[in-house]
């Protein structure tokens, strides 16, 4: 559906996106995830046509679009700071793109109604943007983008400006919407949890380079690099005999009966998070802390300063590159 072939981007001689090749399947929810400044938006802007790659090519449905202007590509964009027209109602905002494309009026009406229904805005059609909450405005921006029925929707931190609760409920809605429409979504976020929850596949970026591409599960269970291992969820990183491996907190066992197999340590902190307790254990013979996640059912009360043993099944050691 979308093919990026060795695309790269330089700004003033500086490499912002290193050569990247990626095939995005039809109907896929693909997320570009990484810290601020790693090049996510630049990749999205190259796919949209607002930015030309310094090198490489972009194909949409087998057609080379590398040099096509944005309006000649069958895709739509939703930004974090959605620019709704303040003097237009919800309905008019949604119809705007269809008018520009000279869609016949009867079809316009039908598409607007459908988009309103899908984004649960049917009660608000006559309102102006300033009469809407942030979440409702964001829904209008999404409705406007899907009304055109693009093959691909590019979303750049679309929920970034919303508070946590609203963000969570819109995440669920967005995922359902994407499933029911079957549109390919390319989504940019720096929020790991959001990426895990929404995506079919995640591209983890760091400093303009891809660290790993995989399903949320693949990345969580078998992170390839140190960056991927620590950026998605928590990990304990051990380095011994020249090898570097990661063990997730939920795979660390903490016991009072210290035996040969366990490393000795001292409980340094206890963090209560509702569904889990986290124990931070300072190892006696290594200058590092180990984080263990304890099941809620584990009702032993641990004491700060207590001597404990820490162990894990070697099967849970995941090799990572530096
Ligand atoms: P954020 O999450 O903060 O939006 P990002 O991962 O989307 O970050 P980009 O916006 O793609 O990052 O920027 C990547 C790098 O390219 C940054 O260092 C940025 O300063 C630089 N950059 C982006 N656009 C330009 C430009 N037009 N001219 C020069 N440098 C730019």
């Amino acid at each position: 559906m979308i093919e990026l072939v060795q695309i790269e981007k330089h700004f003033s001689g500086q490499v912002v996106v290193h050569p990247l090749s990626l095939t995005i399947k039809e109907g896929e929810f693909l997320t570009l995830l990484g810290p601020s400044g790693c090049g996510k938006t630049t990749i999205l802007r190259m796919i949209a046509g607002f930015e030309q790659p310094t090198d490489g090519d972009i194909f949409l449905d087998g057609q080379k679009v590398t040099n096509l202007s944005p309006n000649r590509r069958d895709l739509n964009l939703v930004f974090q700071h959605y620019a709704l027209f303040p003097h237009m109602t919800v309905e008019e905002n949604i119809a705007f793109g269809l008018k520009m494309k000279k869609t016949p009026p009867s079809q316009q009406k039908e598409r607007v109604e459908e988009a309103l229904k899908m984004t649960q805005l049917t009660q608000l059609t006559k309102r102006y943007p300033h009469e809407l909450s942030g979440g409702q405005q964001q829904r209008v921006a999404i409705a406007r983008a899907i009304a055109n029925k693009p093959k691909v929707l590019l979303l750049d931190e679309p929920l970034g400006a919303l508070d946590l609760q609203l963000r969570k409920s819109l995440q669920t809605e967005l995922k359902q919407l994407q499933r029911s429409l079957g549109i390919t979504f390319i989504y940019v976020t720096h929020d790991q949890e959001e990426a895990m929850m929404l995506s079919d596949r995640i591209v983890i970026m760091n400093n303009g380079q891809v660290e790993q591409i995989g399903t949320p599960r693949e990345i969580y269970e078998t992170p390839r690099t140190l960056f991927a291992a620590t950026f998605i969820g928590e990990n304990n990183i051990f380095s011994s005999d020249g090898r570097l491996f990661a063990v997730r907190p939920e795979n660390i066992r903490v016991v009072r009966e210290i035996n040969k197999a366990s490393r000795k340590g001292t409980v340094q902190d206890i963090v209560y998070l509702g569904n889990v307790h986290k124990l931070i254990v300072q190892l006696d013979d290594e200058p590092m802390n180990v984080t263990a996640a304890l099941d809620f059912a584990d009702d032993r009360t641990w004491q700060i300063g207590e001597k404990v043993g820490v162990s894990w099944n070697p099967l849970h050691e995941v090799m990572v590159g530096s």
Side-chain angles (χ1 to χ4, degrees):
M1 164 103 225
I2 301 173
E3 222 183 330
L4 312 179
V5 184
Q6 292 293 94
I7 55 161
E8 58 180 286
K9 183 72 186 172
H10 303 183
F11 283 118
S12 329
Q14 218 180 354
V15 188
V16 167
V17 176
H18 290 267
L20 162 71
S21 290
L22 178 65
T23 303
I24 302 157
K25 292 172 227 137
E26 189 170 353
E28 183 169 12
F29 197 126
L30 182 104
T31 299
L32 302 171
L33 171 71
S36 179
C38 71
K40 309 178 293 285
T41 299
T42 305
I43 295 171
L44 210 64
R45 288 174 60 80
M46 289 194 280
I47 299 172
F50 293 117
E51 221 49 93
Q52 291 284 308
T54 309
D55 207 353
D57 276 310
I58 299 173
F59 295 86
L60 251 177
D61 260 348
Q63 190 204 356
K64 189 165 140 181
V65 298
T66 319
N67 302 309
L68 281 189
S69 60
N71 59 358
R72 296 185 55 208
R73 304 184 187 198
D74 195 1
L75 34 81
N76 254 332
L77 241 130
V78 181
F79 296 103
Q80 174 175 354
H81 301 289
Y82 33 88
L84 299 180
F85 300 112
H87 58 287
M88 288 185 193
T89 62
V90 165
E91 206 171 32
E92 289 162 351
N93 262 289
I94 298 172
F96 181 78
L98 297 167
K99 280 203 180 113
M100 295 300 283
K101 281 203 164 174
K102 304 211 172 14
T103 311
S106 63
Q107 209 179 349
Q108 270 184 39
K109 194 164 177 287
E110 200 179 296
R111 293 264 190 94
V112 170
E113 270 169 22
E114 201 182 357
L116 282 165
K117 212 181 286 170
M118 287 195 137
T119 49
Q120 299 168 30
L121 287 167
T122 36
Q123 308 297 317
L124 306 170
T125 51
K126 303 289 180 213
R127 295 239 192 126
Y128 287 89
H130 74 271
E131 298 170 318
L132 301 172
S133 72
Q136 289 163 342
Q137 289 183 35
Q138 193 52 293
R139 279 210 194 97
V140 179
I142 292 166
R144 189 171 62 178
I146 60 173
N148 270 330
K149 299 214 182 217
K151 286 199 183 128
V152 181
L153 201 58
L154 308 175
L155 301 105
D156 193 352
E157 303 256 1
L159 311 180
L162 308 174
D163 69 45
L164 190 65
Q165 210 172 352
L166 194 54
R167 200 178 164 109
K168 294 249 175 256
S169 79
L170 276 184
Q171 281 169 359
T172 313
E173 287 179 27
L174 209 55
K175 182 74 194 159
Q176 283 169 353
L177 194 67
Q178 191 261 347
R179 276 212 189 106
S180 63
L181 290 171
I183 296 179
T184 308
F185 271 35
I186 307 182
Y187 196 92
V188 162
T189 184
H190 60 261
D191 180 333
Q192 302 91 304
E193 244 185 83
E194 185 163 284
M196 291 289 276
M197 174 179 167
L198 294 174
S199 323
D200 294 319
R201 275 192 308 161
I202 299 174
V203 179
I204 301 189
M205 305 278 311
N206 183 27
N207 273 330
Q209 266 171 323
V210 171
E211 293 273 337
Q212 189 168 357
I213 303 176
T215 63
R217 186 167 188 161
E218 281 164 358
I219 291 176
Y220 190 84
E221 291 182 359
T222 49
R224 295 256 168 76
T225 64
L226 183 60
F227 183 85
T230 48
F231 196 69
I232 295 261
E234 254 185 278
N235 240 324
N236 295 293
I237 307 294
F238 297 92
S239 148
S240 59
D241 308 330
R243 61 189 193 117
L244 191 63
F245 62 91
V247 184
R248 293 281 179 199
E250 60 270 31
N251 294 324
I252 300 277
R253 268 188 313 244
V254 183
V255 288
R256 287 208 164 86
E257 309 77 37
I258 302 166
N259 59 35
K260 268 209 298 218
S262 48
R263 297 188 184 202
K264 292 187 192 67
T266 310
V267 175
Q268 196 187 59
D269 204 358
I270 304 158
V271 186
Y272 174 73
L273 291 168
N275 53 344
V276 288
H277 284 91
K278 267 196 208 156
L279 229 57
I280 319 289
V281 178
Q282 164 79 57
L283 293 185
D284 289 346
D285 50 2
E286 274 184 74
M288 71 172 283
N289 290 333
V290 173
T291 303
L294 304 175
D295 203 280
F296 186 63
D298 188 340
D299 60 358
R300 285 175 296 187
T301 44
W302 302 89
Q303 305 291 327
I304 291 178
E306 192 176 352
K307 295 283 177 201
V308 290
V310 170
S311 63
W312 58 88
N313 185 332
L315 285 174
H316 288 130
E317 293 177 2
V318 177
M319 292 305 144
V320 291
S322 51

